[in-house]
Amino acid sequence: MPELYWIGKESVVDYACKVPAGSLRRIPEVSVGEDSGNKIIHGDNLRALKTLLPDYRERVKLVFIDPPYNADGEVWTYGDHIEAPDVEHWPGKVEVDDPLRRDKWLSMMYPRLMLLRELLRTDGTIFITIGDNEIHHLRLLLDEVFGARNFLGCAVWRKGPSDGGEKPIPSVHNYVVIYARDKNLSALDGSGVTTWWTAEMFGDSLEARHELETIFPETESLFAIPKPTRLARRILKLATVPSNGDVVLDCFAGSGTTAQAVLDQNASDSGDRRFILIEAENFAETLTAERVRRVIPKKDGPHPTSGFDYYELDG
């Protein structure tokens, strides 16, 4: 099988094993309720995943992540501090003109995918949204980590109107790449779903933006590119069941769409799914957790699975 190579690969192939775990410190004043089984973690997502590993190895039914797309004009952060000559100076902002931005993106993704695979149940699945810039590299990366035999599909999601730019053919779509931990054990409910995901069925970026503005009417500057709750809910219905305590993990939590989708879907089908969200940026409390707090169902009191414990990653 062809192998993907990039600068820095030798330094990150076993980094998931070497990265130290931290400890989770619960913040009572930010948490809502007790014993819900839901978690929101503020901290580096690689170390947070390693910290979760002892308790959640092979317990996660669904991973749904929306990582940096490494798109043209996008600035994102490479945060792994690895003591190796080829990567030791990498941590910091990855600027638009950085000649190593693709190598850094692959080096960021590889160890996280390794840990996510360990956290997935043997019948679990991973869904990853991505754009044109890295779709081809992501497929090769997932083939290496999960095995090409465990590829389930790549949906084209119509995200909405073009965001402008100078491309002669503006993009109005993203991709959702789907892999199983073990294809022979995967039990997706794919009834009536093809690889063409329309805005009518799955929502789009305009809908997502409106959702966030409705939840935070007092805030003018919001999360740049949220995902619609309908997209996450359709994925939940494909990959989880209501009454099995399925754990849903999102380690690029952003504005908290995944948590809201879990709460909404549980309210719709009397489900008992649990969510784990990880967000590294400082808006983890003021946006991610605050969104979840505001959308918790209030009718007849909070559902037992509607609260969450908020943690800071220490160590």
Side-chain angles (χ1 to χ4, degrees):
M1 184 181 76
E3 182 178 351
L4 184 62
Y5 175 80
W6 66 91
I7 296 172
K9 182 175 183 179
E10 294 88 347
S11 301
V12 300
V13 288
D14 59 351
Y15 186 54
C17 298
K18 297 177 180 178
V19 64
S23 59
L24 297 178
R25 176 169 51 90
R26 185 177 184 271
I27 310 298
E29 59 269 25
V30 184
S31 303
V32 176
E34 295 182 2
D35 302 323
S36 67
N38 298 317
K39 292 180 171 63
I40 299 178
I41 301 169
H42 176 216
D44 173 71
N45 58 5
L46 183 62
R47 291 182 58 247
L49 291 172
K50 189 64 173 284
T51 304
L52 290 170
L53 198 56
D55 291 330
Y56 286 92
R57 185 187 300 271
E58 295 189 358
R59 285 187 55 197
V60 174
K61 182 62 183 297
L62 167 65
V63 170
F64 174 43
I65 58 173
D66 182 40
Y69 286 10
N70 207 20
D72 297 340
E74 180 182 5
V75 177
W76 54 279
T77 301
Y78 181 86
D80 296 341
H81 294 265
I82 305 174
E83 295 182 1
D86 53 347
V87 298
E88 62 183 356
H89 300 299
W90 281 11
K93 295 291 184 182
V94 181
E95 301 293 342
V96 174
D97 58 352
D98 188 336
L100 294 175
R101 61 183 292 122
R102 180 149 287 156
D103 304 270
K104 292 179 180 180
W105 188 86
L106 289 164
S107 293
M108 179 272 293
M109 291 294 294
Y110 188 93
R112 286 158 178 82
L113 291 174
M114 292 292 289
L115 289 178
L116 288 170
R117 183 182 180 278
E118 291 191 56
L119 289 162
L120 271 178
R121 283 168 34 173
T122 53
D123 63 345
T125 48
I126 182 170
F127 287 65
I128 305 177
T129 56
I130 199 67
D132 283 319
N133 281 48
E134 298 295 355
I135 176 63
H136 47 308
H137 291 119
L138 180 62
R139 282 289 310 275
L140 289 171
L141 200 61
L142 287 165
D143 281 352
E144 186 169 330
V145 174
F146 282 81
R149 66 190 179 281
N150 290 315
F151 171 68
L152 296 179
C154 179
V156 177
W157 169 55
R158 194 181 190 284
K159 64 180 180 179
S162 168
D163 53 6
E166 299 179 356
K167 291 183 178 180
I169 304 177
S171 174
V172 296
H173 72 277
N174 283 328
Y175 303 92
V176 183
V177 185
I178 310 161
Y179 276 71
R181 171 72 188 266
D182 185 335
K183 187 176 183 178
N184 294 326
L185 300 176
S186 176
L188 288 184
D189 180 11
S191 305
V193 176
T194 69
T195 55
W196 175 240
W197 291 10
T198 64
E200 289 74 21
M201 293 181 64
F202 291 83
D204 61 14
S205 56
L206 290 178
E207 178 180 308
R209 189 71 184 176
H210 178 70
E211 284 181 330
L212 210 53
E213 290 170 348
T214 302
I215 297 168
F216 293 93
E218 78 283 6
T219 305
E220 294 184 2
S221 179
L222 289 167
F223 191 77
I225 312 176
K227 289 292 177 289
T229 305
R230 275 203 294 160
L231 173 67
R233 286 187 65 177
R234 289 301 297 263
I235 290 172
L236 287 171
K237 287 191 283 187
L238 283 171
T240 68
V241 295
S243 58
N244 199 30
D246 286 350
V247 178
V248 180
L249 172 61
D250 181 354
C251 62
F252 293 90
S255 67
T257 300
T258 299
Q260 181 176 350
V262 170
L263 295 176
D264 289 352
Q265 193 58 39
N266 281 347
S268 173
D269 60 16
S270 301
D272 60 0
R273 303 169 187 84
R274 307 304 204 269
F275 63 77
I276 301 174
L277 266 56
I278 305 170
E279 178 52 54
E281 300 296 335
N282 291 330
F283 55 71
E285 178 182 342
T286 58
L287 176 60
T288 313
E290 181 60 24
R291 175 181 186 170
V292 181
R293 181 181 293 104
R294 295 188 184 193
V295 300
I296 289 175
K298 301 299 192 300
K299 184 179 179 181
D300 300 322
H303 189 276
T305 60
S306 291
F308 62 88
D309 293 303
Y310 184 90
Y311 297 92
E312 290 285 347
L313 179 65
D314 297 331

